[in-house]
Amino acid sequence: MGIRILVLVSLSLGGLTWFHGGRASLSTMAVDAPEPRAPLIPRITSVDQLVPFAKIIVQRDYIGQRLGWSVRGGERVLYETSSAVHPWVREAFIRALKDLGCSVDVVIRDRGGRQTDWKEVARSTEERLASDLNKKPQKQFGHGGSGPPRPPSRPGLQVTEEMAKHYDVVIGSQGRGSGAEEIIPGLGGADAWVTPELMAAAGAVYPGDLMDLIDAKSWAVLRNAARVEISDLQGSEASFTWFPEWWEIIEGTHPKIKSPADASTFGTLRRGRSEYALFAGHLMAVPREGAIEQTDFKGRLVATIGQEEQGPKITLWHDRGEIVKIEGGGAYGDMWRRVLELTKDIQYPGYPRPGTGWIQEFSVGTNPKIAGPVEVEELKGQPGRDPAQIRWPFARDRAGAVHAGYGSRGASWWARTMDVPVNHYHLRMFFVTYIAHGRDGKTVKLLDYGHLTTLNDPDIRALAATYGNPDKMLSMDWVPILTPDLSLKQPQGRVVSYDQFVASLPFKLNDPRLVYRRPAKLEQFYGDERVKYYNPETFLEFYRQQGQLPVKRVK
């Protein structure tokens, strides 16, 4: 039995009612936190044990959060990796590709992991905003994207258009998400598995067709939502209305707000349509890519995991879809308060009011076998092997895990061009309850203290049963410990022999269906011709006509 948590419940009958700085009528009830859980960790002793996993990954098709490179055999591959990736993982990818008849060129960059200096993030933001917002500065800050600024690394080998002509597939950090798609459409993507234990895992090769069905069933609930109530065991309570106008932004039909979602690989949408999940494995549970005047997200979100790692509790208070107050958070909270202050009077294109405090993301993971950090005595302190050192954000794709994101991210097409911050920072939550009141009058609890309830759907269970025991296929392998002070800790795991681990998998590792192929109905959203980036020029002209360019400070 997990620890007992007191949950505050509003007695207002009209939905959750919160008064920032005031009072609400409350009662309390005790609930059991989900029992901590950790997957079995295989004892990896050689590269040979990793090659079967690598071979599945490189052969499967890409879709959303599920990386893949559609290797059929015989391709010319550029594999770019870094010194942060364990040598066995690098060798497993190379061996897998060569087993498939590919020629492989390898680039290893010396890029070790480092902790973000949040004071430096605030200083960089202040420096950039001191100059003309509508003129790209000579100094490259690396603003405009997700998370802290990423200044260009020291000069070195880059994937140019001329170089790319020599390759069919690019695997590595210059792949999907960094512009390589413009050179080799659809065949980029980063290597996300830095340790042997992350690669040799059920979540790394979980069946794609089953994931598609989990996404579709969950998306049907979100697409029907009219009113939403959110709570979680760390203290969050919030609510919002999913106005129909939001879907005009998401689908690219809004007359005054132009979203990149219908023109980018990061959206699955066609103009005027949203029948398939946005986006696979990373479901949109609040509206994104802009904001409408009547947005009414209100309440508080609480977490101890921010952008990167565990820290002091941080509480974000919201009103009308924006952060109105940040409490706590240590150095991360100090940075966030400062950058919100620095941008409070900037009118970003696509937003009804100035500032970068907009809630833009409440993304739900859908893979039940993804795991986060785990305490394992046998591997404790081993460089590149200790599962306790897995970054907490890696667990964001676990079924039912949520990460809330903020900022003026819908204006990233402009911000990247001008190297201006959008302040897209995050909270990570693992015990969320998400109640959707539908337009059809039905109410569905999509998340129940971190459990994704669509995993109970009969159709999903039936498909899971074709792989193995549906209970084992759909159970979550990783649940962190919720401590009495409502912070999070890694669960305790144990190492077993490789053969015991493979035998414990809920599916057969040699099942050919693990090499996922996108079905025809999703090809139009994720196929090669779909994987492209929007042209900022189309946005510039659109917002000039709206009077939101050039960008101004509003007093």
Side-chain angles (χ1 to χ4, degrees):
M1 185 69 68
I3 68 169
R4 302 283 282 181
I5 302 294
L6 290 178
V7 179
L8 298 179
V9 183
S10 170
L11 295 183
S12 166
L13 298 179
L16 295 180
T17 304
W18 288 95
F19 301 94
H20 181 52
R23 295 182 178 180
S25 177
L26 301 174
S27 66
T28 62
M29 66 177 182
V31 299
D32 291 316
E35 195 70 31
R37 199 175 308 163
L40 295 176
I41 306 296
R43 183 174 290 109
I44 303 298
T45 58
S46 76
V47 174
D48 294 343
Q49 296 164 327
L50 301 179
V51 171
F53 294 87
K55 194 172 290 186
I56 291 168
I57 291 167
V58 298
Q59 289 184 94
R60 70 188 180 193
D61 290 349
Y62 156 79
I63 180 169
Q65 288 291 93
R66 291 174 265 153
L67 293 176
W69 288 274
S70 305
V71 170
R72 300 299 197 267
E75 288 91 345
R76 300 164 299 172
V77 179
L78 174 62
Y79 174 40
E80 181 188 356
T81 182
S82 82
S83 56
V85 175
H86 194 280
W88 288 355
V89 174
R90 294 199 296 261
E91 183 61 27
F93 271 108
I94 295 167
R95 288 261 301 275
L97 290 165
K98 287 189 173 295
D99 285 353
L100 293 167
C102 298
S103 62
V104 188
D105 290 341
V106 182
V107 175
I108 302 175
R109 297 184 184 276
D110 186 12
R111 292 179 182 165
R114 63 181 182 182
Q115 201 75 16
T116 299
D117 183 341
W118 296 115
K119 287 185 179 179
E120 175 58 24
V121 170
R123 190 210 61 76
S124 170
T125 300
E126 185 168 9
E127 181 182 354
R128 170 60 189 99
L129 295 179
S131 59
D132 189 342
L133 298 176
N134 295 285
K135 182 179 179 181
K136 189 168 185 176
Q138 288 188 336
K139 178 178 178 179
Q140 293 180 287
F141 293 89
H143 288 292
S146 177
R150 295 178 173 86
S153 58
R154 64 180 182 271
L157 182 65
Q158 303 295 323
V159 179
T160 64
E161 186 172 2
E162 185 62 32
M163 180 187 295
K165 291 178 181 177
H166 299 286
Y167 298 101
D168 303 304
V169 179
V170 176
I171 298 174
S173 60
Q174 288 186 323
R176 190 179 308 281
S178 62
E181 302 86 348
E182 298 171 5
I183 300 171
I184 311 176
L187 295 179
D191 168 10
W193 303 273
V194 296
T195 74
E197 289 72 25
L198 283 176
M199 174 174 277
V205 292
Y206 196 71
D209 59 345
L210 185 53
M211 288 282 290
D212 285 346
L213 188 57
I214 294 169
D215 285 350
K217 294 284 188 174
S218 303
W219 183 248
V221 176
L222 296 170
R223 190 61 184 88
N224 183 51
R227 182 74 183 166
V228 171
E229 298 168 3
I230 295 167
S231 62
D232 95 309
L233 294 181
Q234 290 187 287
S236 300
E237 288 282 359
S239 62
F240 71 94
T241 304
W242 211 312
F243 295 103
E245 189 179 345
W246 282 117
W247 294 99
E248 295 178 12
I249 301 175
I250 295 162
E251 296 176 346
T253 60
H254 197 283
K256 294 184 178 180
I257 302 173
K258 189 172 180 65
S259 163
D262 72 320
S264 163
T265 187
F266 287 102
T268 63
L269 312 180
R270 290 295 194 192
R271 186 171 179 82
R273 296 169 60 179
S274 58
E275 64 267 49
Y276 294 113
L278 175 65
F279 81 150
H282 183 276
L283 301 185
M284 178 188 72
V286 299
R288 60 188 293 174
E289 308 292 354
I292 58 178
E293 181 65 39
Q294 66 269 38
T295 179
D296 64 352
F297 191 101
K298 186 179 180 68
R300 70 187 183 217
L301 296 183
V302 183
T304 54
I305 309 291
Q307 185 69 23
E308 296 174 350
E309 301 299 339
Q310 181 93 247
K313 183 179 79 170
I314 184 169
T315 302
L316 307 185
W317 289 91
H318 310 74
D319 192 25
R320 299 176 67 202
E322 298 179 80
I323 298 172
V324 294
K325 184 178 180 182
I326 298 178
E327 297 175 344
Y332 183 56
D334 291 341
M335 176 280 299
W336 209 341
R337 283 183 286 269
R338 180 59 179 152
V339 299
L340 289 182
E341 178 67 21
L342 290 167
T343 55
K344 68 180 182 180
D345 60 349
I346 300 175
Q347 179 59 65
Y348 286 76
Y351 291 85
R353 298 182 294 277
T356 56
W358 304 95
I359 185 164
Q360 294 281 269
E361 183 177 21
F362 200 78
S363 294
V364 179
T366 57
N367 185 334
K369 300 303 178 184
I370 291 291
V374 177
E375 291 280 356
V376 179
E377 188 62 33
E378 183 173 323
L379 297 171
K380 193 171 184 178
Q382 293 191 26
R385 300 295 302 276
D386 186 352
Q389 301 305 313
I390 295 172
R391 289 163 54 89
W392 284 90
F394 188 85
R396 72 178 190 169
D397 294 333
R398 193 215 66 187
V402 169
H403 62 281
Y406 293 82
S408 297
R409 189 174 181 273
S412 59
W413 56 271
W414 170 79
R416 284 195 176 101
T417 301
M418 297 300 173
D419 204 348
V420 171
V422 294
N423 297 334
H424 184 52
Y425 298 108
H426 296 87
L427 300 182
R428 321 280 175 175
M429 296 176 283
F430 298 98
F431 299 104
V432 171
T433 294
Y434 185 101
I435 300 173
H437 302 286
R439 303 183 192 285
D440 59 2
K442 297 178 181 178
T443 293
V444 176
K445 188 181 289 186
L446 180 63
L447 302 177
D448 188 8
Y449 301 126
H451 173 67
L452 182 64
T453 61
T454 46
L455 297 177
N456 305 331
D457 183 273
D459 294 338
I460 290 174
R461 288 185 59 82
L463 180 56
T466 68
Y467 285 92
N469 183 319
D471 292 335
K472 292 182 178 179
M473 284 292 299
L474 298 169
S475 64
M476 288 192 298
D477 277 1
W478 180 85
V479 178
I481 298 168
L482 184 63
T483 66
D485 68 353
L486 303 186
S487 61
L488 301 178
K489 280 184 60 178
Q490 301 97 328
Q492 297 289 325
R494 63 187 179 95
V495 174
V496 297
S497 72
Y498 181 79
D499 289 342
Q500 185 180 347
F501 166 76
V502 171
S504 74
L505 289 171
F507 45 79
K508 299 294 185 183
L509 194 55
N510 62 356
D511 190 324
R513 293 176 295 173
L514 296 183
V515 177
Y516 170 76
R517 296 287 176 245
R518 283 186 302 266
K521 66 182 181 182
L522 294 181
E523 190 65 22
Q524 60 181 319
F525 303 105
Y526 285 103
D528 285 353
E529 64 88 22
R530 177 73 179 120
V531 180
K532 61 184 179 182
Y533 275 73
Y534 49 83
N535 180 1
E537 289 299 322
T538 64
F539 291 79
L540 292 171
E541 182 56 32
F542 180 87
Y543 281 109
R544 286 191 192 104
Q545 294 178 10
Q546 301 298 324
Q548 289 195 314
L549 285 180
V551 168
K552 304 178 181 70
R553 291 187 180 272
V554 179
K555 301 299 182 184

